[in-house]
Amino acid sequence: MDAINEVSNVLSNPKNILITSHRNPDGDAIGSSLAMALWLKRRGHRVMVAFPSEYPPIYNWMPAIEEVEIYDVDPEPIVSFIKHLEVSVILDYNSLSRIDKLGALFAEKDLYTILIDHHLFPDPIGDYVLSDTTASSTCELVYQFFKSLEPDRSIDHALAECLYTGILTDTGGFQYATSPALFRAVAELQEIGIETTQIHNLVFNSLEEKSLRLLGHCLSSRMEIIPEFKTGIIFLNKHDFTVFGIQRGDTEGIVNYLLKLRDVHMAIFIRQQPSIIKISFRSKGDFSVEEIAKTYFNGGGHRNAAGGYTKMGLADTLDLIKSILPKYKESLIKPILV
Ligand code: 5GP
Ligand code: MN
């Protein structure tokens, strides 16, 4: 039996299904999880969506988001749901290590696992795997998944809102990883009647004042440009988080400002969190920040957007980063063609 028939067979009668996505879920993690939950519920399954940590409040408007369980906030409902779990759906990540203790809860269970993701180097997990690193987003792949299982059924309004949100955020507003197939899918979502401008405003134009002031602080006081390596760095220490009254999600998008500089090919954004230093990397062209995140910072992601962490101090982390740059000088300074 081929893979799609097998998954179709597994989902042909009601199952207990847990959908999980990565820590600090973004628009794609949330959109794909909610779309999948709505779609599975419509088919009569008992479904729970669980994230390891909280999602940014800009997504509070999304369909059925109030039903999401957060492991860091209250693991109890998740632990009890997992007792009778039959199917695990892994979205927008590809290694159970990315979801820490939440992953350990079901890693050893005998489950049917569905993995849909667009990150590089997936772990060999999943009975049904839809892993395509050229896809714009997990939402694009979830759209394809729905189309392969129900070719004749159109996507409904709530599903379209969820899928569109993930595509919008992971492509940075249709800047990266687009394709004719993606625009065709988006055309179908728009035909369903979703308010695309409103979604854009809800997601990209709904900062609180403190976040814009924080951005100002990052750009005026915490930005270092290293022309020799065409690299820009912004860092925030613990004190900044307190002074600006910000939480993790409030720093979303700041890293991208560095790429607005013509002569910056790699952007690095460093945040001192309570127990780790979290780092976001972005690049232009074919320079792979995924390689840097994986080799030196316990992380991964995509060629042009990756992340990782250290357990060192902030100053040591900055020193480590600066000591790595000379190794990549040639590829960092070469002209951007793509
Ligand atoms: P961000 O910088 O927005 O947090 O993440 C950028 C990309 O890198 C996302 O695709 C995200 O999944 C990936 N990423 C971020 N942090 C980590 C990490 O610690 N480990 C791995 N494997 N990927 C990460
Ligand atoms: Mn994604």
Side-chain angles (χ1 to χ4, degrees):
M1 199 189 305
D2 68 11
I4 199 75
N5 287 330
E6 187 186 275
V7 70
S8 172
N9 211 19
V10 169
L11 298 178
S12 64
N13 56 327
K15 293 273 168 24
N16 296 324
I17 305 180
L18 180 73
I19 299 169
T20 52
S21 194
H22 58 79
R23 184 163 277 282
N24 303 329
D26 54 15
D28 191 32
I30 300 165
S32 58
S33 299
L34 296 177
M36 183 61 82
L38 291 165
W39 187 84
L40 289 167
K41 279 186 199 161
R42 201 173 73 187
R43 294 167 65 108
H45 300 286
R46 291 168 295 273
V47 183
M48 177 181 280
V49 175
F51 299 141
S53 65
E54 287 184 87
Y55 53 84
I58 55 165
Y59 297 109
N60 280 341
W61 60 274
M62 290 187 68
I65 197 156
E66 63 286 351
E67 292 169 26
V68 169
E69 301 289 345
I70 311 291
Y71 184 86
D72 280 357
V73 173
D74 183 9
E76 183 39 45
I78 308 171
V79 171
S80 88
F81 190 78
I82 284 177
K83 285 187 188 131
H84 304 285
L85 195 61
E86 297 167 287
V87 175
S88 155
V89 184
I90 292 176
L91 297 177
D92 204 37
Y93 71 106
N94 57 31
S95 164
L96 285 183
S97 64
R98 284 274 281 140
I99 60 164
D100 325 316
K101 290 182 222 151
L102 172 55
L105 287 181
F106 61 90
E108 301 301 326
K109 283 184 82 86
D110 183 22
L111 304 169
Y112 185 85
T113 298
I114 297 171
L115 183 151
I116 304 180
D117 180 51
H118 67 135
H119 292 86
L120 295 163
F121 310 118
D123 278 357
I125 44 173
D127 298 288
Y128 174 83
V129 177
L130 180 53
S131 164
D132 178 356
T133 59
T134 68
S136 66
S137 52
T138 298
C139 280
E140 180 182 359
L141 295 173
V142 166
Y143 169 88
Q144 287 174 14
F145 178 77
F146 295 160
K147 286 285 157 186
S148 12
L149 282 171
E150 291 181 340
D152 302 323
R153 185 159 180 177
S154 65
I155 307 266
D156 70 30
H157 195 270
L159 282 187
E161 286 185 332
C162 294
L163 295 175
Y164 184 84
T165 301
I167 294 167
L168 182 70
T169 54
D170 256 31
T171 59
F174 301 103
Q175 289 181 78
Y176 331 110
T178 61
S179 65
L182 177 73
F183 283 117
R184 277 187 213 106
V186 169
E188 185 185 334
L189 300 179
Q190 197 167 32
E191 267 164 3
I192 291 158
I194 57 171
E195 296 288 341
T196 54
T197 305
Q198 192 192 350
I199 294 177
H200 189 106
N201 281 330
L202 286 164
V203 172
F204 291 136
N205 300 331
S206 58
L207 288 183
E208 287 181 57
E209 181 183 337
K210 63 181 181 183
S211 298
L212 203 54
R213 295 206 182 277
L214 173 75
L215 175 64
H217 171 66
C218 287
L219 301 181
S220 68
S221 310
R222 293 279 191 256
M223 180 174 86
E224 183 178 356
I225 303 301
I226 311 173
E228 197 190 348
F229 302 116
K230 294 200 186 288
T231 293
I233 301 177
I234 290 174
F235 70 90
L236 287 175
N237 60 31
K238 279 186 196 162
H239 185 64
D240 295 320
F241 278 81
T242 315
V243 170
F244 284 87
I246 48 165
Q247 274 116 34
R248 279 187 216 158
D250 298 334
T251 60
E252 201 65 43
I254 290 178
V255 63
N256 296 313
Y257 283 87
L258 290 165
L259 290 187
K260 289 193 180 286
L261 295 170
R262 184 190 53 212
D263 289 329
V264 164
H265 293 177
M266 174 163 66
I268 305 176
F269 181 38
I270 305 166
R271 286 92 73 201
Q272 186 175 38
Q273 293 179 357
S275 57
I276 58 167
I277 303 274
K278 184 74 198 161
I279 312 171
S280 291
F281 299 92
R282 300 290 186 273
S283 66
K284 289 176 190 151
D286 57 11
F287 184 78
S288 173
V289 284
E290 192 273 342
E291 185 185 323
I292 292 189
K294 188 176 61 182
T295 312
Y296 301 98
F297 300 101
N298 316 294
H302 313 275
R303 185 184 67 186
N304 298 118
Y309 65 91
T310 70
K311 293 196 167 170
M312 306 186 284
L314 187 54
D316 287 343
T317 302
L318 279 161
D319 286 348
L320 173 61
I321 288 172
K322 289 177 186 174
S323 74
I324 292 164
L325 296 178
K327 298 191 183 82
Y328 293 92
K329 180 164 183 173
E330 213 173 302
S331 27
L332 276 169
I333 63 173
K334 79 172 204 245
I336 302 288
L337 296 172
V338 250

